Amino acid sequence: MTDTQWTPSTEDIENARITDFQRYVQRRHVLDLTDYRSLWAWSTENLPDFWRAVWDYFEIIAADQPIATLESTDMPGAQWFTGATLNYVDQVERHVRTDRPAILHAHEDGTVTRLSWHELARQAASLAETLKSRGVAKGDRVVGYLPNIPETVIAFLAVASIGAVWSACGQDYSASAASDRLGQLDPRVLISADGYSYGGKYHDKTADVSALLENLPTVDLVVQVGTHVTAGSITWDEATAGERVWTSVAVPFDHPLWIVFSSGTTGLPKGIVHSHGGVLLEHLKSVGLQSDIGPNDTFFWYTSPSWMMWNFQVAGLLIGATIVTASGSPGFPTADALWKIASAQKVTFLGTSPGYVLSCIKAGSHPGEDHDLGALRAIGITGSSLPATSSIWLADNISRDVPVFSISGGTDVVSAFAGGVRTVPVWPGELSAPYLGVALAAYDNQGRSVTGEVGELVITEPMPSMPSRFWNDEDGSRYHDAYFDTFDGVWRHGDWITVTEHGSVIVHGRSDSTLNRNGIRMGSADIYQAVESLPEVVESLVLGVEFDDGSYWMPLFVVLAEGVELDEPLRGRIKAVIKEQASPRHVPDEIIAAPGIPHTRTGKKLEVPLKRIFQGDDAARILDRSAVDAPDLVDWFVERGRDRNR
C-alpha cells in the first residue's frame, strides 16, 4: 500500500460535518457505523433512506413534501422525491446575513469587489422582476455569455427563482462556439458582458455579442453588463434597479434548473438537463458533507461559466459560505496568482487543476513560503488525473496539514463520483473514496466488479443529479447511448479506474482513448504522470492508434521547456522514467516534439479526436475547432497525420 500523504487527526474526524451526519444517520436508523467506508456502504445499499436523510439533515425548504423518495431505480428513468415542489434558490435565500460577504470578486489587477448577501438578494430579486415583466415564465430559457463575475451568479439565481432555465458560456468561447450551444435552446433572453481582462489584456467582446445575437433569433431582451448598450438592450443597472423582496416559484423536484453542455469537440455539444431537486441534494452532499464546507468558509474554485465546476462553486451559497469569483488568468502576473488570491481573501478551500499545479512546479513557485495560507483547510483538484508527484509537491509546498482532495466526476452529473473526505486519508495519486450515495465500481469486460484491477468506471445505482434528459432528445436514445449501451441498466462513464484494496480510486484516463498494446489495457494518465515529472517536459500527449491493417502505433508527443531539444539522451530519460514509474509496456513507439497540446476549453487533452485524425479521418468532420483552446495546434497534428499516412 502506498504511504499516506495526509491522515485525518482525531480532531479532524470529530469536527467534520460528515461525522455529524453519520451520527445523525445512526440515531435515525439505529445503526452501528464505524467509519466512512461503512457509511458509504449503507448509503449505496439503502438509497431511499440515505437521500431522505440528506433532505432532512439539511432541512430542505419545500412547498410540498415528497410522498415517496425513490419510486423507481431504473437507469435511465429513476423517479426521485415524487410530489415534492421546491426551488433551488430558497436554500440560498435562507442564508442571507450581514456578518460576511456572499461573493468576493478578485480582479486581475489585484483589487477585490465585495458583494453582500443583501445586495445579492436585492439584485437577484430585481432582475427576476424585470424578466417577469418581459413575459419570461417557468420553463423559458435565459442564457448568459459572461465571464466568471458576480453578475453571472446573480443572473442564474434570478432565472432559477422564477422557474426559468439557465445556461451559459464563458466569453473565452467565440460567438460561433457559443451559438452552437446556446442556439439549441431557443432562449428568450441573453445576458452578456462587454468583455473581460485576461493575461493583462482586455478582451472586448461587443462584436461577438452582436454576432451571437444574429444566431439567437428567439431573443427579445438583452441585458448588458458594462457600458456598451445596443438597440433593444438594457443595462445591468437598469435590470436590477429598485428594492424587491426575493421570492421564488415552487417547481416539481425534476423541473429543469440549468442546461450544461458537453465539450462538443467531436460533434454538436450535447445539452445536459439537470433538475432543481437533484442538483440541490447532490451539491449539499458534495459541498457540505464531502468537502466539509460550511457557513464560515471562503470557497474559491478557479473556473469558468462554461465548466460544471462553476455550478459546483455556486453551491457554496447553498450552505452559507462566501464564494470567490475570478475571470483573469491564473498565471498572471506571476504563476502563483491563485495562491496570492487565496492568501489575500483568507480562502479556506481552494480548487484548481493539475495543469495549474504543474505550471507552479515548473515556475519554481513556493506558495507556502511566499503567501500566508494559514486559513487554507483543503485543496481541491479536478479536470484530469493529479499525478502523485504533484500531490506530494502541494503537501511539501503548502502544508502537510492541508489535505489535497482530488475529485473525479463530470458535467454529466455536475458533481463528483469520488474524491477526498475529511475523515479519510489521502494517498498521493489516488482519490480517497467514492462519494456517499454513489454506487461506484470497476467492471471488467464481462461486467464483473473487480478490485485491484483496471476496469470501466460504472455506477450501478441511480443518483439524483443524473441528467433528467438531453435537450432535443425526444425519445431518449442519445441519452441511453451515451451511458447505457455497454452494460444494461448500469451507467458506464468512460474512464478506466482501479478500486484499491483500501477503498480509494485511481483514475487511469478515458476508456474511449485506451492504450491497448498486445491485449494489455493501459491508461494515458500513468504515462503523463511519469513524463511530466521531468523538468524538460512541459506537457505530453500519448495516443494508441489502431490501423485497418491490424498494426498499432503508440506515439508520445512532448512539449519541451524553453531552450530544451529532444535529443537522444532526453529520449532515453523519458523512456527510463516511464519504465520506472509505469511499466516497460508503457514505453511509446516514438517520441515526437510538438509545439503544444490542444485541449477542450475545460482543459481536457484531445486524445480521441487526434487519434482519429491519425487513423485518417477528416479533421473538419470529426472536430469542432471552436471548442478547442488552441485550434492552430490541431493543424500541426493534421500535418503529422498526413505525413504518417502517406
Side-chain angles (χ1 to χ4, degrees), residues 43-71:
S43 74
T44 58
E45 294 163 4
N46 300 273
L47 288 179
D49 288 341
F50 166 69
W51 286 108
R52 184 62 202 227
V54 173
W55 175 288
D56 292 339
Y57 180 80
F58 285 102
E59 299 177 337
I60 300 295
I61 298 172
D64 297 293
Q65 292 295 319
I67 58 176
T69 301
L70 181 57
E71 284 194 321

Side-chain angles (χ1 to χ4, degrees), residues 354 384-389 429 495-497 506-510 513-515 522-533 540-542 578 581-582 586 605 607:
S384 59
S385 298
L386 179 69
T389 51
D495 283 338
W496 289 125
I497 64 166
I506 302 172
V507 180
H508 302 285
R510 295 293 296 172
S513 58
T514 305
L515 306 174
M522 302 176 294
S524 57
D526 303 313
I527 294 175
Y528 300 147
Q529 176 173 323
V531 175
E532 293 172 11
S533 68
S540 59
L541 173 79
V542 66
I578 293 173
Q581 295 189 22
H586 288 75
K605 300 176 185 183
E607 293 175 329

Side-chain angles (χ1 to χ4, degrees), residues 313-378:
Q313 168 159 315
V314 170
L317 300 174
L318 293 173
I319 41 84
T322 297
I323 64 171
V324 180
T325 57
S327 56
S329 167
F332 181 85
T334 56
D336 59 352
L338 293 191
W339 306 111
K340 185 176 181 180
I341 294 171
S343 172
Q345 305 312 317
K346 295 183 173 18
V347 169
T348 57
F349 193 110
L350 172 65
T352 183
S353 67
Y356 178 71
V357 176
L358 185 61
S359 71
C360 290
I361 295 172
K362 303 286 187 182
S365 299
H366 301 284
E369 295 179 12
D370 298 338
H371 305 285
D372 179 3
L373 299 174
L376 199 60
R377 298 177 54 238

Side-chain angles (χ1 to χ4, degrees), residues 292-628:
D292 199 43
I293 296 172
N296 296 320
D297 283 300
T298 299
F299 180 29
F300 175 30
W301 204 299
Y302 180 79
T303 185
S304 156
S306 307
W307 188 22
M308 52 99 9
M309 291 310 298
W310 180 89
N311 309 68
F312 191 85
Q313 168 159 315
V314 170
L317 300 174
L318 293 173
I319 41 84
T322 297
I323 64 171
V324 180
T325 57
S327 56
S329 167
F332 181 85
T334 56
D336 59 352
L338 293 191
W339 306 111
K340 185 176 181 180
I341 294 171
S343 172
Q345 305 312 317
K346 295 183 173 18
V347 169
T348 57
F349 193 110
L350 172 65
T352 183
S353 67
Y356 178 71
V357 176
L358 185 61
S359 71
C360 290
I361 295 172
K362 303 286 187 182
S365 299
H366 301 284
E369 295 179 12
D370 298 338
H371 305 285
D372 179 3
L373 299 174
L376 199 60
R377 298 177 54 238
I379 298 168
I381 302 287
T382 197
S384 59
S385 298
L386 179 69
T389 51
S390 294
S391 187
I392 293 169
W393 182 89
L394 285 168
D396 290 342
N397 287 271
I398 306 296
S399 170
R400 285 278 174 178
D401 295 327
V402 176
V404 178
F405 291 159
S406 186
I407 68 174
S408 182
T411 301
D412 323 75
V413 293
V414 78
S415 185
F417 295 126
V421 190
R422 197 76 195 181
T423 58
V424 177
V426 173
W427 294 270
E430 303 177 13
L431 284 64
S432 295
Y435 273 13
L436 296 180
V438 180
L440 177 148
Y443 269 15
D444 65 13
N445 287 339
Q446 286 71 48
R448 297 173 299 203
S449 180
V450 294
T451 300
E453 300 177 23
V454 176
E456 289 268 10
L457 190 164
V458 298
I459 309 299
T460 60
E461 298 289 345
M463 295 169 56
S465 66
M466 284 178 175
S468 302
R469 56 190 170 96
F470 284 175
W471 193 255
N472 292 332
D473 180 30
E474 300 306 323
D475 63 358
S477 58
R478 293 174 66 210
Y479 182 17
H480 179 275
D481 292 349
Y483 310 112
F484 303 103
D485 65 344
T486 302
F487 305 109
D488 186 38
V490 171
W491 175 293
R492 170 189 170 272
H493 192 60
D495 283 338
W496 289 125
I497 64 166
T498 298
V499 177
T500 71
E501 296 291 345
H502 54 272
S504 68
V505 178
I506 302 172
V507 180
H508 302 285
R510 295 293 296 172
S511 58
D512 52 8
S513 58
T514 305
L515 306 174
N516 191 337
R517 179 178 272 166
N518 299 323
I520 304 297
R521 297 182 308 196
M522 302 176 294
S524 57
D526 303 313
I527 294 175
Y528 300 147
Q529 176 173 323
V531 175
E532 293 172 11
S533 68
L534 294 172
E536 299 95 334
V537 179
V538 174
E539 194 176 14
S540 59
L541 173 79
V542 66
L543 302 176
V545 186
E546 305 93 351
F547 293 106
D548 291 341
D549 62 2
S551 61
Y552 186 78
W553 181 51
M554 196 172 102
L556 174 69
F557 298 92
V558 291
V559 181
L560 301 175
E562 187 175 352
V564 174
E565 293 185 7
L566 185 60
D567 53 20
E568 286 308 310
L570 179 55
R571 282 191 170 92
R573 288 195 296 278
I574 291 172
K575 293 177 182 178
V577 76
I578 293 173
K579 285 181 182 178
E580 178 185 348
Q581 295 189 22
S583 81
R585 286 193 300 270
H586 288 75
V587 175
D589 296 320
E590 192 172 352
I591 303 173
I592 303 167
I597 305 299
H599 309 80
T600 69
R601 292 192 177 272
T602 56
K604 292 181 171 56
K605 300 176 185 183
L606 296 185
E607 293 175 329
V608 175
L610 295 181
K611 169 182 172 177
R612 291 177 61 184
I613 286 171
F614 278 100
Q615 289 173 321
D617 284 345
D618 179 13
R621 185 178 64 83
I622 65 167
L623 182 63
D624 178 5
R625 295 169 63 89
S626 68
V628 180

Side-chain angles (χ1 to χ4, degrees), residues 107-109 145 147 149 171 192-207 209 224-228 327-329 332:
H107 300 267
E108 200 174 57
D109 64 5
Y145 185 48
I149 54 179
Q171 290 195 314
S192 61
D194 289 356
Y196 64 100
S197 294
Y198 189 91
K201 178 183 177 182
Y202 181 73
H203 297 261
D204 188 321
K205 300 297 288 187
T206 53
V209 171
Q224 189 76 15
V225 179
T227 58
H228 181 78
S327 56
S329 167
F332 181 85

Side-chain angles (χ1 to χ4, degrees), residues 177-191:
S179 65
D180 281 348
R181 291 155 176 79
L182 306 180
Q184 299 180 44
L185 308 181
D186 298 325
R188 292 280 312 278
V189 179
L190 170 67
I191 302 176

Side-chain angles (χ1 to χ4, degrees), residues 76-209:
Q79 298 176 23
W80 292 97
F81 289 84
T82 307
T85 62
L86 75 176
N87 194 296
Y88 174 103
V89 303
D90 289 339
Q91 195 72 22
V92 175
E93 191 273 338
R94 73 190 301 173
H95 293 293
V96 171
R97 54 201 289 195
T98 58
D99 60 326
R100 58 185 293 132
I103 303 176
L104 297 167
H105 181 65
H107 300 267
E108 200 174 57
D109 64 5
T111 59
V112 174
T113 300
R114 297 168 64 89
L115 187 79
S116 69
W117 281 90
H118 172 77
E119 187 62 12
L120 177 144
R122 186 198 68 76
Q123 291 190 35
S126 297
L127 179 57
E129 285 298 321
T130 297
L131 295 175
K132 288 192 291 185
S133 72
R134 296 300 188 102
V136 178
K138 185 165 64 174
D140 287 340
R141 276 77 62 203
V142 176
V143 299
Y145 185 48
L146 295 157
N148 186 16
I149 54 179
E151 289 86 348
T152 312
V153 179
I154 295 166
F156 156 63
L157 294 172
V159 170
S161 71
I162 63 176
V165 186
W166 172 254
S167 191
C169 281
Q171 290 195 314
D172 54 331
Y173 276 60
S174 67
S176 174
S179 65
D180 281 348
R181 291 155 176 79
L182 306 180
Q184 299 180 44
L185 308 181
D186 298 325
R188 292 280 312 278
V189 179
L190 170 67
I191 302 176
S192 61
D194 289 356
Y196 64 100
S197 294
Y198 189 91
K201 178 183 177 182
Y202 181 73
H203 297 261
D204 188 321
K205 300 297 288 187
T206 53
D208 277 337
V209 171

